[in-house]
Amino acid sequence: MSVLLRELKDGVLTLTLNRPEAINALTTEMLRELGKAFAKEATAPEVRAVVLRGAGRGFCSGQDLREFEGQSLSYKGHLRNYRSVVEGIAALEKPVLAAIHGAAAGAGLSLALACDLRVAAADALLTTGFSKIGLIPDAGMNYYLPRLVGYARAYELAALSPRLSAEEALALGLVNRVVPVEAFEQEVARLALELAQGPTKTYGLIKRALRYSAGATLEEVLEYEALLQEVAGRTQDHKEGVQAFYEKRSPRFQGR
């Protein structure tokens, strides 16, 4: 079977890491398939939201260390595979939702942090993991982690690599919400559908604005906001939203 499953339904593209026997440990093949999926399938006009999840009992246990056992590995070369995935998520002008159950460790956690939203089942367990094998965080974790929790907390999580429960991760801001295990599938599907029925182009512009703000001054952000708002104001979804407001009804966004 494929190491990455793809399913498109109601505008939601679900990408499922499919190595359940290894808690979806990442391999070169899986990363290349993910990179292709975010560069190609996810950019199709019929896709309006993406869910990234894992098959079986966990989200992702990180890099499969057995893949390179007995080999002389160039980390710099291998990390290009991660870079294509992380940059693909960032560049995709559609919301990407990580659905986390069970373990999200190491580079698996990095991929979850790169997503726009994270929903965790109550049984989720998050850990950075890298320092336990004498490595620094990678796959974008050094970018996203301090922006989510601040420098001091990020250093603690990276250096000491504690195992965080879903509730602890929620308290730190690593996940957006925690859902009971029995309601997890339903909540992921509900939120993904809500995103897929929203103003897709606006969601993409929000991603642009927030990413830009990370390295910009207030004056630069104000200028960029005005530029992006001009774009948003010309979308069909903006016109529909205003019309729905006047007519006191829910908007019917088309992603245009």
Side-chain angles (χ1 to χ4, degrees), residues 111-128:
L111 295 187
L113 297 183
C115 294
D116 303 304
L117 295 168
R118 285 160 294 283
V119 174
D123 69 346
L125 182 66
L126 286 67
T127 185
T128 58

Side-chain angles (χ1 to χ4, degrees), residues 174-185:
L174 291 176
V175 300
N176 296 87
R177 60 190 69 177
V178 174
V179 183
V181 173
E182 60 273 16
F184 180 64
E185 298 292 340

